[in-house]
Amino acid sequence: MAGPPVALPPVLLVVVVVVVLVSGVEALSNGLALTPPMGWLHWERFLCHTDCGDEPLACVSEQLFMQMADIMASEGWKDAGYQYICIDDCWMAPTRDEDGRLRADPVRFPSGIRRLANYVHSKGLKLGIYEDVGNHTCAGYPGSFGAYELDAQTFADWGVDLLKFDGCYCDSLEHLAEGYRNMSLALNGTGRSIVYSCEWPLYLRPFQQPNYTEIRQYCNHWRNFGDIFDSWDSIKSILDWTASNQDSLVSAAGPGGWNDPDMLVIGNFGLSWDQQVTQMALWAIMAAPLFMSNDLRQISPQAKALLQNREVIAINQDPLGKQGYRLSKEDNFDLWERPLSNLTWAVAMVNRQEIGGPQRYSLPLSVLGNGLACDPACLITRLLPTRAELGLFSWVDILSQRVNPTGTVLLRLEAPAQSRRALSGGRLPRPIL
Ligand code: GLA
């Protein structure tokens, strides 16, 4: 299957070649999403509220996105890496205009999307929008079926930087696949850099195993599993599903293309503090796109600090771009690890027991990274739930940590400085036996 045509300046071409060599699987060649995209997306928190008379602060309107853009730029979110302000479903007028073009609801978006994009850009941020491959969006607004080029051009003319492309109301699997491919080609054809977020595998899965080699050629990230809810049950189901399917998912991810386990719901109503820590830690381990769906106008300082934790974000954004995986599941503990660049590893211990108090987990360091993560020694820093430098460990050591019920301890294991120097000088560290 041929990918979209490549017309890139030499610098981007070099980047793409490097990316392909590193990941081993060809990615969409638009030069975007070399690390998982980060931003804010309205859906989980604001759904399809269209009555601004009744819900002036929570309806899907240009005011909502402008307010989020103001806060993203002024309260540390942009500096932490959150860049895309994304509109989800329910932004459109119920019908296209007389030329067949999409238009925003004139009451809720009186200035139009182009002006909104200008506003978002003036804050140093980017704008995302939503459409659907079928005849209607999931909430019943006009879909893109049969108008992929026109809609891609409309989005490009408006200055849109990301498209979330849903898969509702598509009448056949052929149309689904063709539609996702055609929209990718149409976006590329506009010449504008537009991140392409797909739900292709999610809509395919009930009928067919997705072909991730192909999906990666067309999409920058893709949803595999149902919609996230603001609940621990939902987080657990996403983690369990991802772990059960990790053999096909992990190798599909890499610079340019990512598995998307859906939005971060930290800062809302349904998760305890420990469960919010678990979501942040595991979304970092899974190399997930980080799109918050919360109300940045009213968020606790604790949730804000968690979402803006630079060291955890650095794990999520690690340039090696390898997705982590569940290493073991025993005695009510799930153990996850993720290889990072520079001989570093991230490790998450999740306490799945929902009765009692904190439980002690004893981790033989020799099990990590196929025996290599702490070989012959490593410096361990605990990043979550609280930061602590735990010190230098040898690969025969056992690390013991207390983990709250439904909470997670997130660790970073680094090779000591001399091992890294040896590696960069071409010599591998000698194991101490
Ligand atoms: C689907 C998607 C959600 C959201 C809604 C909007 O359910 O999976 O993420 O976009 O549609 O209607």
Side-chain angles (χ1 to χ4, degrees):
M1 189 64 58
V6 179
L8 294 172
V11 174
L12 272 188
L13 210 54
V14 171
V15 170
V16 170
V17 169
V18 169
V19 165
V20 169
L21 290 178
V22 169
S23 73
V25 188
E26 196 183 336
L28 172 59
S29 49
N30 60 7
L32 301 171
L34 298 181
T35 62
M38 296 173 63
W40 183 91
L41 177 63
H42 95 245
W43 186 254
E44 192 287 322
R45 178 67 186 252
F46 295 99
L47 297 171
C48 194
H49 292 307
T50 52
D51 185 349
C52 294
D54 193 37
E55 290 275 9
L57 288 177
C59 67
V60 180
S61 69
E62 62 184 33
Q63 196 193 325
L64 178 70
F65 297 98
M66 288 164 78
Q67 288 180 352
M68 292 305 155
D70 292 345
I71 297 172
M72 287 252 295
S74 65
E75 294 185 16
W77 301 101
K78 184 174 89 170
D79 294 340
Y82 296 93
Q83 197 183 16
Y84 291 89
I85 298 267
C86 301
I87 309 171
D88 207 287
D89 206 346
C90 305
W91 62 271
M92 286 179 229
T95 55
R96 291 173 178 262
D97 73 8
E98 53 286 0
D99 299 322
R101 276 177 221 282
L102 295 171
R103 52 195 174 138
D105 182 282
V107 176
R108 292 178 287 120
F109 292 84
S111 317
I113 303 295
R114 188 202 296 260
R115 288 245 178 96
L116 179 58
N118 289 346
Y119 185 81
V120 166
H121 294 157
S122 76
K123 302 273 164 186
L125 298 165
K126 294 182 185 293
L127 184 71
I129 208 161
Y130 166 99
E131 242 298 3
D132 188 285
V133 70
N135 289 307
H136 306 284
T137 71
C138 296
Y141 290 84
S144 278
F145 185 73
Y148 300 125
E149 289 188 9
L150 177 64
D151 292 352
Q153 194 56 53
T154 303
F155 297 143
D157 293 345
W158 286 345
V160 163
D161 307 291
L162 178 150
L163 173 64
K164 172 175 172 179
F165 210 42
D166 212 336
C168 277
Y169 298 108
C170 198
D171 57 11
S172 69
L173 291 185
E174 288 70 38
H175 281 160
L176 185 81
E178 258 169 44
Y180 273 106
R181 286 193 290 258
N182 286 340
M183 185 49 105
S184 179
L185 297 170
L187 291 172
N188 226 351
T190 67
R192 185 171 174 85
S193 290
I194 301 179
V195 169
Y196 185 39
S197 157
C198 301
E199 298 201 31
W200 184 358
L202 167 61
Y203 287 89
L204 199 59
R205 264 191 188 272
F207 312 99
Q208 267 176 28
Q209 249 327 91
N211 174 352
Y212 284 106
T213 308
E214 182 186 16
I215 289 167
R216 213 182 134 72
Q217 285 171 9
Y218 288 96
C219 303
N220 290 120
H221 44 97
W222 48 84
R223 285 269 308 282
N224 296 297
F225 189 67
D227 293 358
I228 198 163
F229 279 54
D230 184 14
S231 75
W232 177 234
D233 272 355
S234 176
I235 303 289
K236 273 191 299 191
S237 68
I238 293 172
L239 292 177
D240 287 338
W241 186 87
T242 304
S244 331
N245 290 278
Q246 62 191 11
D247 288 350
S248 61
L249 298 178
V250 168
S251 57
W258 311 96
N259 292 296
D260 178 4
D262 213 358
M263 295 158 269
L264 292 167
V265 293
I266 295 165
N268 290 320
F269 307 96
L271 302 185
S272 71
W273 167 246
D274 288 294
Q275 293 159 3
Q276 295 179 64
V277 166
T278 294
Q279 191 185 25
M280 192 69 190
L282 272 294
W283 264 235
I285 294 274
M286 291 189 292
L290 297 181
F291 287 95
M292 307 176 282
S293 194
N294 50 20
D295 190 343
L296 299 176
R297 296 165 300 191
Q298 307 171 346
I299 187 164
S300 71
Q302 209 185 16
K304 182 176 175 184
L306 177 62
L307 287 161
Q308 293 192 3
N309 186 312
R310 302 291 175 113
E311 290 177 298
V312 180
I313 291 173
I315 290 175
N316 174 269
Q317 296 286 300
D318 185 79
L320 189 59
K322 284 200 181 294
Q323 180 173 335
Y325 42 85
R326 191 167 68 189
L327 196 56
S328 65
K329 180 179 174 59
E330 53 189 354
D331 301 334
N332 282 311
F333 269 96
D334 289 359
L335 180 68
W336 292 67
E337 67 177 16
R338 177 177 174 189
L340 304 171
S341 51
N342 214 8
L343 299 177
T344 301
W345 289 76
V347 172
M349 307 165 167
V350 189
N351 178 359
R352 296 291 297 263
Q353 185 161 304
E354 296 179 30
I355 187 169
Q359 297 286 327
R360 198 163 270 292
Y361 186 67
S362 297
L363 171 65
L365 297 175
S366 57
V367 306
L368 298 173
N370 239 338
L372 295 173
C374 193
D375 177 16
C378 59
L379 281 166
I380 304 186
T381 309
R382 188 178 67 215
L383 303 181
L384 293 174
T386 51
R387 192 182 195 287
E389 285 173 13
L390 303 182
L392 185 64
F393 289 78
S394 144
W395 73 288
V396 291
D397 286 339
I398 292 177
L399 176 71
S400 179
Q401 291 285 294
R402 282 160 72 83
V403 192
N404 289 347
T406 68
T408 292
V409 162
L410 178 68
L411 306 166
R412 184 180 64 214
L413 279 69
E414 293 164 277
Q418 71 272 22
S419 310
R420 270 185 267 139
R421 269 201 304 278
L423 189 84
S424 60
R427 288 183 297 113
L428 284 170
R430 270 222 327 272
I432 304 167
L433 294 171

